[in-house]
Amino acid sequence: MRGAGSVVRAGAVTAAFGVLLATVGACGADGGGRSEGDKPAARERGSAGGAQSDKARTVAPGRIPGVGERYWQQIPDDTRQAVVVYGDGKNSGNATIALYTKSGGSWKKQRDWSGHNGKKGWTTDHHEGDRRSPVGVFTLSDAGGVLADPGAKLPYTRSAAFRAPRTWSTSYWHDFDYVIAIDYNRVKGTPPNDPTRPQGQSKGGGIWLHMDHGSGTSGCVSQSRANMAYLLKTLDPAQHPVVVMGDKADLQAP
């Protein structure tokens, strides 16, 4: 377990900027443009009428709301932390994100907030450049970013190589200040910007949780800086965290 004495993997800072461009192509801003229908992130939501809340709320024992049998069976038995991304619709870039923790046989919602996913929505067959986020259950193993480690429990790699290209619109420049790698088509235990794609380049990669620029992404899940810092400080490898992500209809599949 890591904490205030976390160890930064300094070796990753030697990654070439060209490698980063290949990685963020799936996760970034498609050249910094914004599609017409993109909407700014809504005010963060919680249990107290629109304000974000840290107060845990007990949900139905043994189940996370809105997750059907198909994806429920994919959550590892030893998982005690789950980031759930409820996409507004199959073709929507807007989502609600929530963190659930398990104690004994009960899951509790710790917090929820607004965010974004792929600007074209979701897919169960993700490919490079489709601008959709992959639906599924994925482990969360590695983190990093441009900024110093805020106290992450996951292994954290700080590197300027995460910096978004300055050819992108300025609203996208801080997207990768904090990132958590989603273990889709990547090698666990490597920095988030490692370019290795075990399933091949055509299946895409570089799918991250990262900071929000106010609209849909090219496949990642984005949220505010405060919520990224919260996840980095909270997600613990000893709790075997996962992300469960997809549009609401797909997530409820029996």
Side-chain angles (χ1 to χ4, degrees):
M1 182 183 300
R2 303 180 34 142
S6 60
V7 178
V8 176
R9 291 177 300 193
V13 302
T14 59
F17 189 71
V19 170
L20 174 70
L21 291 179
T23 301
V24 301
C27 201
D30 292 328
R34 179 178 293 187
S35 61
E36 285 203 48
D38 288 339
K39 300 178 181 178
R43 185 179 182 86
E44 291 170 354
R45 297 189 293 272
S47 59
Q52 190 181 49
S53 172
D54 287 8
K55 185 177 180 181
R57 299 193 298 277
T58 302
V59 299
R63 289 280 182 172
I64 296 173
V67 179
E69 194 67 23
R70 178 185 304 172
Y71 296 110
W72 185 256
Q73 293 299 327
Q74 296 179 31
I75 299 175
D77 290 340
D78 57 1
T79 289
R80 294 293 181 269
Q81 292 178 322
V83 178
V84 185
V85 184
Y86 300 98
D88 281 5
K90 186 72 173 179
N91 301 311
S92 172
N94 300 316
T96 298
I97 304 166
L99 176 67
Y100 291 89
T101 61
K102 187 177 183 181
S103 178
S106 297
W107 286 91
K108 292 182 179 180
K109 182 191 289 186
Q110 301 298 328
R111 199 184 273 198
D112 66 0
W113 55 89
S114 296
H116 292 95
N117 51 265
K119 61 182 61 181
K120 289 192 174 182
W122 298 89
T123 179
T124 56
D125 186 22
H126 178 67
H127 284 81
E128 186 82 22
D130 64 13
R131 301 185 189 180
R132 293 180 179 269
S133 296
V135 178
V137 178
F138 308 99
T139 53
L140 300 170
S141 306
D142 302 281
V146 176
L147 299 180
D149 184 349
K153 293 182 173 69
L154 296 172
Y156 188 95
T157 299
R158 184 186 187 186
S159 173
F162 285 101
R163 193 180 75 160
R166 281 348 190 212
T167 55
W168 291 1
S169 171
T170 56
S171 62
Y172 297 81
W173 284 7
H174 295 286
D175 280 14
F176 314 129
D177 282 359
Y178 290 139
V179 306
I180 298 171
I182 293 171
D183 292 335
Y184 168 85
N185 198 19
R186 69 177 301 270
V187 178
K188 297 180 187 180
T190 62
N193 58 349
D194 183 277
T196 307
R197 302 286 180 261
Q199 299 175 55
Q201 196 66 33
S202 68
K203 291 294 290 180
I207 306 296
W208 299 342
L209 301 171
H210 68 66
M211 284 169 48
D212 193 72
H213 53 251
S215 63
T217 72
S218 293
C220 293
V221 173
S222 62
Q223 57 229 293
S224 72
R225 173 174 175 166
N227 285 315
M228 277 301 302
Y230 166 72
L231 288 177
L232 284 165
K233 294 174 183 178
T234 304
L235 295 177
D236 185 344
Q239 304 302 314
H240 308 282
V242 300
V243 60
V244 183
M245 52 193 277
D247 58 283
K248 292 176 183 176
D250 256 329
L251 286 184
Q252 292 173 356

